[in-house]
Amino acid sequence: MPRYRLRLDLQLFAGEKTEKATPKKRQDSRNKGQVAKSAEIAGSLILLACICCLIMLGPFMQKQLMTMFSDVLYHRLNMEVTAANTLKLLGSYAVQLLIVLSPIFAIVLLVAFGSNYVQIGWLFTLEPIRPKFSKLNPLSGAKSILGPRSLVEFSKSMLKLLTVGLIVYTILWSERRNFLQLANMPVQDIFSFVGGLTVKLGIFVAALLFVLAIGDFMYQKFEFEKNLRMSKQDIKDEHKNMEGDPLIKGKIKERQRRMALMRMMQEVPKADVVITNPTHFAVALKYDASKMDAPTVIAKGQDYLALRIREIAKQNDVITMENKPLARALFERTDIGESVPGDLFQAVAEVLAYVYRLKGRR
């Protein structure tokens, strides 16, 4: 009973996700679009950039808008209203409005791209927008709504709402005396006061949201690393998938060895001579002066394999010669397909000369 309990405890420990994710797991998650990022950073920076753009380009935008609205009163009251004139007028106003808003559009795109690039780098994948029918399951939807992540998102929203409300209340309360004097101020001064107050509120709110976004990014990174953890068994399975099952790899190598052995045995009948030890080693040599610079080893073997080489040589009338030192030297110092070493040329040449004499060749 204690052994069974210990084995069960070890299995449970192996299934716990306590290990950091491997590079392959991280890359697979990245390819699916699962990365640690906070959308709050992009939102807060876009708000801050738009306010700064309004501050810098405010006079230009004011001039363009005043020109657009005054053009109707100064030049268009006596205009003949036709379809062509109306379309032309609307097209002109659309171009002017686009010129006014184009700096804001450009800044929004630049800041949005830059904030995401800083967080996750360059990433383009269509995996997050691919339709998944599993999301239509009401049970999984209920779990996501009532899960801990939804509670965290609700807490973040409440925190943002309370902090933004506190800042707005504090700034408006500090300007309460100026509000009481608005009734005695010219319209232009009222607009100026409201514009300045709006910019002040925007800057403070954007700065606060950016601070909260930094905290949200740290939380998202922690949560991402936590969800990406792997168990020891997961790491072993991934290693098997990458390297292959050892049993399968062993079978593949065994088959490769068999095929190489079959190819080698098929070359033995083409040999000029088989040098033996006489029982422990066997080396088959071939020499073709028109194609080879030196005699080449086309087959070699030890013990049982040496016996098979001698049997095949005998079946195909290939001469077998016993030379213990030469057979051992060739077996240890050459591989199949390699030429005979230079210091063994003399001994091999004498063997081949004897073989050629036996075959009646010159």
Side-chain angles (χ1 to χ4, degrees), residues 30-33 123-132 135:
R30 184 177 177 84
N31 293 337
K32 296 178 181 178
L123 176 63
F124 178 77
T125 177
L126 300 177
E127 188 68 24
I129 63 175
R130 181 175 297 177
K132 296 181 180 179
K135 294 182 179 180

Side-chain angles (χ1 to χ4, degrees), residues 177-313:
R177 294 183 179 179
N178 295 328
F179 279 111
L180 297 176
Q181 298 177 4
L182 290 179
N184 301 322
M185 295 174 60
V187 176
Q188 186 174 359
D189 293 341
I190 293 175
F191 278 111
S192 177
F193 171 75
V194 172
L197 183 62
T198 303
V199 170
K200 184 178 180 181
L201 283 171
I203 291 176
F204 276 94
V205 170
L208 174 65
L209 292 179
F210 180 72
V211 173
L212 295 178
I214 296 296
D216 179 62
F217 174 72
M218 296 175 65
Y219 168 76
Q220 296 291 344
K221 193 170 184 179
F222 168 77
E223 190 70 15
F224 176 75
E225 293 292 336
K226 180 180 177 182
N227 294 331
L228 211 63
R229 286 177 184 173
M230 304 173 65
S231 63
K232 296 182 181 295
Q233 187 62 38
D234 293 337
I235 296 177
K236 291 181 181 179
D237 294 341
E238 181 185 285
H239 182 72
K240 284 184 179 180
N241 292 332
M242 292 178 62
E243 300 294 332
D245 194 335
L247 296 177
I248 297 177
K249 289 177 63 178
K251 292 181 179 179
I252 293 175
K253 289 183 179 180
E254 180 64 24
R255 174 164 289 189
Q256 290 175 347
R257 284 195 294 268
R258 289 181 181 178
M259 293 179 65
L261 182 60
M262 291 177 60
R263 289 194 298 268
M264 184 183 72
M265 291 303 181
Q266 292 173 358
E267 294 294 322
V268 174
K270 304 176 183 178
D272 291 323
V273 64
V274 174
I275 302 176
T276 63
N277 193 23
T279 57
H280 296 293
F281 302 102
V283 180
L285 298 178
K286 179 178 178 59
Y287 178 60
D288 187 347
S290 61
K291 299 179 181 179
M292 302 177 184
D293 296 331
T296 302
V297 177
I298 61 174
K300 70 174 185 176
Q302 185 177 4
D303 297 333
Y304 174 76
L305 193 57
L307 177 61
R308 288 290 302 149
I309 292 175
R310 292 198 304 272
E311 291 177 352
I312 295 175

Side-chain angles (χ1 to χ4, degrees), residues 2-105:
R3 291 182 179 179
Y4 175 76
R5 184 174 300 173
L6 178 60
R7 192 182 305 114
L8 183 60
D9 292 340
L10 290 175
Q11 290 177 355
L12 292 175
F13 177 74
E16 292 181 357
K17 297 184 181 297
T18 57
E19 306 298 319
K20 291 184 177 181
T22 59
K24 182 180 183 302
K25 178 70 176 294
R26 294 180 181 276
Q27 186 61 39
D28 292 343
S29 177
R30 184 177 177 84
N31 293 337
K32 296 178 181 178
Q34 299 173 359
V35 290
K37 69 173 183 177
S38 173
E40 308 295 336
I41 291 181
S44 59
L45 289 178
I46 287 174
L47 178 59
L48 187 61
C50 289
I51 293 173
C52 294
C53 181
L54 290 175
I55 293 175
M56 292 185 295
L57 302 177
F60 167 75
M61 293 182 176
Q62 180 185 8
K63 181 180 178 182
Q64 291 295 114
L65 292 175
M66 291 295 294
T67 302
M68 286 176 57
F69 286 106
S70 61
D71 181 68
V72 177
L73 300 176
Y74 288 154
H75 307 102
R76 308 296 180 180
L77 291 179
N78 298 325
M79 183 186 71
E80 182 180 358
V81 180
T82 61
N85 291 339
T86 304
L87 290 176
K88 183 178 179 181
L89 179 63
L90 293 177
S92 176
Y93 287 160
V95 172
Q96 296 181 39
L97 187 61
L98 183 62
I99 293 174
V100 173
L101 298 178
S102 58
I104 297 180
F105 291 156

